[in-house]
Amino acid sequence: MEPKERSIDKAAQEMIARMAKAGQQNAWDRLDAQTPQCSFGKQGICCRICAMGPCRITKKAPLGVCGADEDTIVARNFLRAIAAGVSAHSDHGRTVAEVFIAGAKGQAKDYKMKDTTKLYKLAEELGVKTKDRPVNEIAIDVGEIALAEFGKPVGTQLMARRAPASRQEIWKKLGVTPRAVDREITESLHRSTMGVDQNYKNILTHASRVALADGWGGAMLATELQDVLFGTPYPGIGEVNMGVLKKDEVNIIVHGHEPILSEMIAVASQDEELLAKAKKAGAKGINVAGTCCTANELLMRHGIPIAGNFLNQELVIATGAIELMAVDVQCVMQGLTIVANCYHTKLVTTADKAKMPGVEHVSMDEKNALSTARELVKKAIDNFKNRGEVYIPKEKNSAVGGFSFESISYILGGRFRASFRPLNDNIINGRIRGIVGVVGCTNPKMPQDLTHTTLTRELIKRDVLVLTTGCATIACGKQGFADPKMSLDWAGPGLREVCEAVGIPPVLACGSCVDNTRLLVSCSEIVREGGLGEDLSDLPVAGVCLESVSEKALAIGQYFVASGVPVVFAEETISILGSKNVCDYMFDGIKKDLGGQWILESDPVKAAELILEHIESKRDALGINKEAERKLYDMEDRRTLSVE
Ligand code: XCC
Ligand code: SF4
C-alpha cells in the first residue's frame, strides 16, 4: 500500500516511505500481516470466557457449549470492552486524585493547587466548607471526596448531579444512575462471566451504567482535578506535527495519558542547570513535544507542541531525532520497542503498572516527581551524542488549544458575565446549526486523519460548531482546522460570523479523551441556559468517532448515547454486528430508553449528512427552524460550498 493510502498527513507519508525503505515495520505493515482478520472477532461472536470454550457462533453450531446464543455473547463482549475502557479512564482519575491529595498534604511537594478558583467551585459543589480555611485543607477534603467516588460502598456518582434534572430522572427510571466506579466495573465483569446475565438487553443496560460511571464519574473527576492541579486551560497557540521537532536541540517526547508525568518533564526542561548541560552536550536547547492525549494535555495548558497522534508514535522515532520517549499508560504500542532499537532513541516506561520488555523503567514517584523528571531529561541529554542520521519532516501547523468549559463561557460572555447565552442565541437564530464532538483515535484500517478532517470540513461548512478531543484534535490540528487563520475560510457564513465576533476558530480543541467530559458539562450548561429544550436529548448535538481504536472510545461512545446524544462510529471499529437483536437495540431501541443511539457509517461525507439530518430534526422539534432559515443542502449547494 502506498504511503498516501495510509495517511493523509504529509509528514506521516514521508516517514512511512522512509521506514519502508529502511526495512522497518510499523502498525500499517502489521495490519497487512494480520489481514484478513478473524471474522468471528469482527462480529463479536466468539467467546472464551470459560474453559468449556472457546466457542464461536456458526450456522452449524449456533450456541456455545453453555447454551449462550449470539445475543448474549455479543452483548457480553461489548460490555467487557466498555468496562475495560472505563477502567482505564477511571484509573487515570484515581491516580490524579491520589496525587492531588498528596500535593495538598505536602507529601508531593512538586504538585500545588494552581487554579484555586476552580477548587473553590468544586468544593462548593461537593459540600466542602471553604470559609476561613486554608487552600490545602479544602483541597484535602475535595480530593478525598473525589477519591471515594471510585469505591464508596453506597450512593451514586456525585458528578452525575451536573446533568439536567430530566436526564437524571431518565437514568433513575431505568436504574442506570452510576454507583461507585469500581463497583460498576466489577459488576460488569461479574455479569459477563459464564452463567450469569443472559438477557442481552439487561447486559446492555449495564453497559450504559458502567459507561456513565466514566463520563459522569471517573473521567470527569480526572479532568476537574487536573484543572485544579495544573490549571484550567485557556486558549493559547501551539504547533502540531513532526515539524515541531528540532534538529539542533535535545528532543523529548512524552507519550501516553496522565499529565502527572508530562507536567513535570515540561518544568524540568526549563531548568537552567539542565539547559546548560544540554548546551555543553552540543544542543541548542531542550525541546519537549507530546504524542496522543498527553500531547493534548500539554497543548491545552502550556502551548507545548504536539508531534503527532496515535499512528505517529512509531514514525516520530524514525526521524532519528528523538533522544528520549517517556511513556506512561494507554495507547503505547509495543511496536515502539522495535523501532526504538533501530535508532538511538531511549524508550523509558514510568508507570509501575505499564512496563515493556527490554525497556528501562524509571518509576514515576509522586513524592519525587520533579527529580524523577530531571533524571529523565538528563538521560535525554546524555543520549544526544549518540544521534545518527536525522530526518525531520517540515510539516507543522499552528493550532489554538485550550477550550475548556470555563474558557468557552469566558470567551462567549466576558469576564463578568461568563455565560453560554451567546452560544444558545446563535444556535436558536440558526447562525450555528448545532454542535458536534469529533473525537477519538487514528486506526490503520482507514487512512490516518482522513475521516476526522473530511467530516470536520463538511460540518463546519454547514455551520456546525465542532468540538474535538483526543487524537481527532491532533488530526484536525495537523490540517489547520485549529488555526483560525485557515479554518475560518472553511466555515459556513453563519458559523464564521459568530467565530469572528468572539474570536474563536470553528473547531475547538477541547483536550484529551478524559476531557470529553467537558463536552457533557458544556451541553448541560446549554440546557441550563435555556431556550433549547429540557434535556440533553433535545439539543441539536451529536458525537462521532470514525477512526476509533481503544476500548476507551467505546466507553465514551456509550456514555454519550446514555446521556441522550447519538454517536456515529465506523462499522470496522465496533464488534456487534453478529447479533441482530443487539444491533436493533443499540441502533434503535435504546433511543426509547435513553434518547441517544449508535449509528454506523464509515464514510465521513455520509456521516456528516446523517448528523445534519439529526441536527435539523432536533431544531424542528425545538421549533427554532423558521421556514426561511432552514438550510437544506442539495448537491448543487454542496458543490458550491466545496469550492475553496
Ligand atoms: Fe488513544 Fe488518548 Fe484514542 Fe488517541 S484518542 S488513540 S484512546 S490517545 Ni484518546
Ligand atoms: Fe462457550 Fe459459554 Fe464458555 Fe462462552 S461461556 S466459552 S459460550 S461455554
Side-chain angles (χ1 to χ4, degrees):
M1 214 189 249
E2 289 292 308
K4 261 203 239 138
E5 296 167 78
R6 291 182 161 184
S7 177
I8 63 159
D9 167 5
K10 292 222 169 68
Q13 290 169 3
E14 278 182 57
M15 294 316 299
I16 290 168
R18 288 181 70 89
M19 285 183 82
K21 216 168 137 204
Q24 295 160 2
Q25 271 194 359
N26 51 41
W28 288 277
D29 302 310
R30 293 188 296 267
L31 174 63
D32 282 349
Q34 284 289 344
T35 307
Q37 289 178 311
C38 168
S39 75
F40 296 97
K42 265 192 209 161
Q43 299 176 73
I45 45 171
C46 48
C47 181
R48 43 180 187 76
I49 276 166
C50 89
M52 292 189 287
C55 305
R56 50 190 198 183
I57 302 297
T58 59
K59 271 217 179 79
K60 181 181 138 258
L63 299 176
V65 178
C66 67
D69 59 18
E70 75 266 30
D71 298 340
T72 305
I73 292 175
V74 169
R76 268 194 317 219
N77 287 337
F78 189 60
L79 172 62
R80 285 201 165 197
I82 289 176
V86 176
S87 78
H89 284 153
S90 76
D91 220 25
H92 168 169
R94 185 194 325 258
T95 304
V96 176
E98 283 169 351
V99 172
F100 188 95
I101 295 169
K105 286 187 173 165
Q107 294 161 351
K109 58 183 187 328
D110 304 320
Y111 299 99
K112 305 239 155 51
M113 304 300 140
K114 224 180 206 164
D115 186 346
T116 47
T117 311
K118 185 150 183 170
L119 173 66
Y120 286 125
K121 273 205 193 127
L122 206 53
E124 199 185 311
E125 189 180 351
L126 297 172
V128 172
K129 286 210 180 65
T130 53
K131 205 163 166 259
D132 302 326
R133 298 183 73 198
V135 168
N136 280 341
E137 224 177 277
I138 300 169
I140 292 170
D141 285 358
V142 166
E144 277 171 357
I145 293 176
L147 188 58
E149 288 300 281
F150 295 94
K152 63 185 181 185
V154 287
T156 51
Q157 285 297 302
L158 296 173
M159 290 290 142
R161 299 180 306 195
R162 289 182 168 185
S166 59
R167 183 55 22 192
Q168 295 183 47
E169 216 22 68
I170 291 169
W171 292 338
K172 211 163 140 196
K173 243 177 83 198
L174 195 66
V176 295
T177 311
R179 299 161 297 179
V181 181
D182 294 349
R183 178 170 187 173
E184 302 305 3
I185 296 168
T186 304
E187 193 174 309
S188 301
L189 295 179
H190 177 202
R191 280 183 188 236
S192 56
T193 47
M194 196 274 286
V196 189
D197 203 350
Q198 296 160 30
N199 177 323
Y200 72 91
K201 233 192 219 170
N202 205 40
I203 297 171
L204 296 172
T205 302
H206 188 69
S208 292
R209 177 151 59 172
V210 70
L212 288 170
D214 184 20
W216 300 87
M220 193 174 277
L221 288 167
T223 297
E224 297 299 298
L225 298 182
Q226 283 174 182
D227 280 356
V228 175
L229 208 47
F230 305 121
T232 303
Y234 277 84
I237 194 132
E239 286 180 326
V240 186
N241 214 343
M242 282 181 252
V244 305
L245 301 174
K246 300 209 169 114
K247 197 163 187 174
D248 46 8
E249 295 192 16
V250 172
N251 290 302
I252 299 174
I253 294 281
V254 279
H255 173 37
H257 280 79
E258 297 175 353
I260 302 288
L261 162 78
S262 51
E263 285 277 335
M264 288 299 137
I265 292 189
V267 175
S269 70
Q270 281 157 28
D271 181 306
E272 288 300 332
E273 196 187 309
L274 291 174
L275 283 168
K277 188 175 157 65
K279 294 232 164 81
K280 232 175 119 193
K284 284 216 173 104
I286 304 167
N287 182 38
V288 176
T291 50
C292 285
C293 278
T294 279
N296 284 315
E297 300 277 6
L298 289 176
L299 174 80
M300 287 285 279
R301 297 200 175 86
H302 309 291
I304 285 176
I306 295 182
N309 49 15
F310 181 70
L311 282 174
N312 288 108
Q313 59 185 287
E314 294 174 293
L315 309 183
V316 168
I317 293 182
T319 61
I322 310 301
E323 272 57 58
L324 181 132
M325 181 186 264
V327 302
D328 57 9
V329 290
Q330 303 167 24
C331 303
V332 176
M333 286 199 216
Q334 190 162 349
L336 285 179
T337 52
I338 305 165
V339 335
N341 281 340
C342 302
Y343 296 88
H344 76 306
T345 304
K346 202 166 197 19
L347 189 61
V348 182
T349 53
T350 60
D352 291 345
K353 61 184 99 167
K355 297 185 179 178
M356 298 168 90
V359 171
E360 182 177 346
H361 184 73
V362 175
S363 180
M364 182 62 192
D365 169 10
E366 74 213 29
K367 293 193 179 71
N368 308 306
L370 191 55
S371 65
T372 311
R374 285 172 51 94
E375 186 188 332
L376 291 171
V377 174
K378 266 190 213 143
K379 278 185 198 296
I381 297 169
D382 290 340
N383 197 20
F384 185 70
K385 61 174 185 298
N386 299 324
R387 254 197 206 179
E389 196 201 331
V390 168
Y391 178 81
I392 301 174
K394 287 197 189 63
E395 245 65 42
K396 63 176 174 184
N397 250 314
S398 313
V400 178
F403 293 97
S404 55
F405 164 73
E406 289 80 356
S407 69
I408 296 173
S409 25
Y410 170 70
I411 293 164
L412 290 169
R415 185 189 293 275
F416 296 108
R417 46 183 182 88
S419 118
F420 267 53
R421 194 67 247 162
L423 181 59
N424 281 39
D425 287 343
N426 281 302
I427 295 174
I428 293 167
N429 68 28
R431 277 194 195 96
I432 295 177
R433 309 308 294 173
I435 303 177
V436 172
V438 176
V439 310
C441 323
T442 55
N443 188 321
K445 288 179 182 175
M446 34 292 256
Q448 181 191 19
D449 301 343
L450 175 70
T451 73
H452 293 313
T453 52
T454 310
L455 178 77
T456 298
R457 190 182 286 266
E458 292 293 320
L459 291 172
I460 62 173
K461 82 180 176 199
R462 295 157 188 218
D463 295 314
V464 173
L465 179 66
V466 170
L467 308 187
T468 64
T469 59
C471 290
T473 300
I474 304 174
C476 289
K478 284 193 265 183
Q479 304 297 330
F481 285 94
D483 177 357
K485 273 194 231 100
M486 296 176 78
S487 55
L488 272 175
D489 286 342
W490 306 331
L495 177 63
R496 181 178 182 138
E497 198 184 324
V498 178
C499 290
E500 275 174 337
V502 294
I504 52 171
V507 178
L508 305 184
C510 296
S512 65
C513 285
V514 291
D515 293 337
N516 277 307
T517 58
R518 299 192 198 275
L519 275 47
L520 296 179
V521 175
S522 300
C523 288
S524 303
E525 185 57 26
I526 293 174
V527 172
R528 202 160 295 126
E529 192 56 57
L532 287 167
E534 298 296 317
D535 180 46
L536 299 173
S537 62
D538 295 333
L539 299 175
V541 301
V544 52
C545 176
L546 302 185
E547 299 184 31
S548 118
V549 168
S550 168
E551 289 161 315
K552 293 175 284 171
L554 293 173
I556 294 165
Q558 186 70 15
Y559 75 59
F560 270 107
V561 169
S563 300
V565 178
V567 169
V568 189
F569 253 61
E571 194 178 309
E572 297 87 329
T573 60
I574 187 164
S575 304
I576 59 171
L577 293 183
S579 158
K580 185 174 179 302
N581 281 328
V582 168
C583 288
D584 285 350
Y585 183 70
M586 300 306 284
F587 302 154
D588 189 34
I590 194 169
K591 215 156 115 186
K592 280 184 218 79
D593 287 340
L594 288 157
Q597 92 255 36
W598 290 85
I599 299 167
L600 289 197
E601 179 54 68
S602 314
D603 180 307
V605 178
K606 285 193 194 134
E609 270 155 22
L610 288 173
I611 290 169
L612 254 293
E613 238 167 66
H614 166 77
I615 284 179
E616 293 303 335
S617 78
K618 287 293 169 188
R619 296 182 58 90
D620 283 338
L622 285 166
I624 54 173
N625 262 351
K626 293 184 210 97
E627 204 50 45
E629 266 182 24
R630 170 138 194 193
K631 292 200 175 180
L632 278 175
Y633 282 82
D634 56 17
M635 274 321 281
E636 198 50 47
D637 289 328
R638 289 222 0 250
R639 266 191 291 271
T640 1
L641 281 168
S642 307
V643 184
E644 253 108 47

